């Protein structure tokens, strides 16, 4: 398996599972996949965060906001691996409760990753709402 195949398997497995868990109110799996090395950043659909403390606060807040995920799909549109760096770009289709209210929405999401100690870690995310 080459680097691209290995990375894609990780995206479709571990990363997908962490995002599904977040939409059910469990932010721990997402946080476990994020780098503990600076810089880290999120330009989010609802809130931005820069640095470890703000990332932790953001993910904890999102975990409290989300529950009852009935559907989560990541429609990967582009990705690449170049050495110890990689990116994904795609659409996240979600149906979950947000602050107790059922919602269905789509986000455009781009993430950047770096390989740390042989494992992929997210260090930047940009997400925004798709306006249809």
């Amino acid at each position: 398996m080459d680097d691209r195949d290995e990375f894609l398997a990780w995206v479709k497995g571990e990363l997908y599972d962490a995002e599904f868990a977040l939409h059910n109110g469990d932010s721990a799996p997402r946080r476990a996949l994020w780098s503990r090395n600076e810089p880290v950043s999120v330009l989010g659909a609802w809130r931005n965060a820069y640095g470890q403390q703000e990332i932790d606060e953001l993910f904890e807040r999102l975990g409290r906001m989300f529950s009852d995920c009935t559907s989560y799909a990541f429609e990967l549109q582009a990705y690449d691996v170049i050495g110890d760096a990689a990116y994904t770009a795609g659409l996240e289709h979600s149906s979950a409760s947000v602050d107790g209210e059922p919602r269905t929405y789509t986000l455009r999401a781009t993430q950047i990753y770096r390989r740390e100690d042989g494992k992929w870690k997210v260090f930047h995310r940009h997400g925004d709402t798709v306006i249809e």
Side-chain angles (χ1 to χ4, degrees), residues 51-126:
Q52 300 298 331
Q53 181 176 343
E54 288 184 14
I55 295 288
D56 286 340
E57 291 168 1
L58 173 61
F59 293 168
E60 287 174 19
R61 181 177 181 196
L62 290 174
R64 289 190 306 271
M65 289 174 55
F66 289 120
S67 63
D68 303 319
C69 182
T70 58
S71 176
Y72 173 79
F74 181 53
E75 182 184 339
L76 184 63
Q77 295 182 321
Y79 77 100
D80 203 1
V81 175
I82 303 165
D84 287 334
Y87 81 95
T88 55
L91 300 174
E92 294 178 341
H93 306 282
S94 303
S95 292
S97 291
V98 179
D99 293 327
E101 296 293 323
R103 290 192 50 196
T104 297
Y105 58 91
T106 299
L107 299 180
R108 289 183 295 202
T110 301
Q111 295 194 147
I112 306 173
Y113 313 83
R114 58 182 165 234
R115 198 173 353 224
E116 298 176 358
D117 298 323
K119 296 184 180 190
W120 289 108
K121 296 292 184 174
V122 186
F123 72 94
H124 176 73
R125 174 182 172 83
H126 176 259

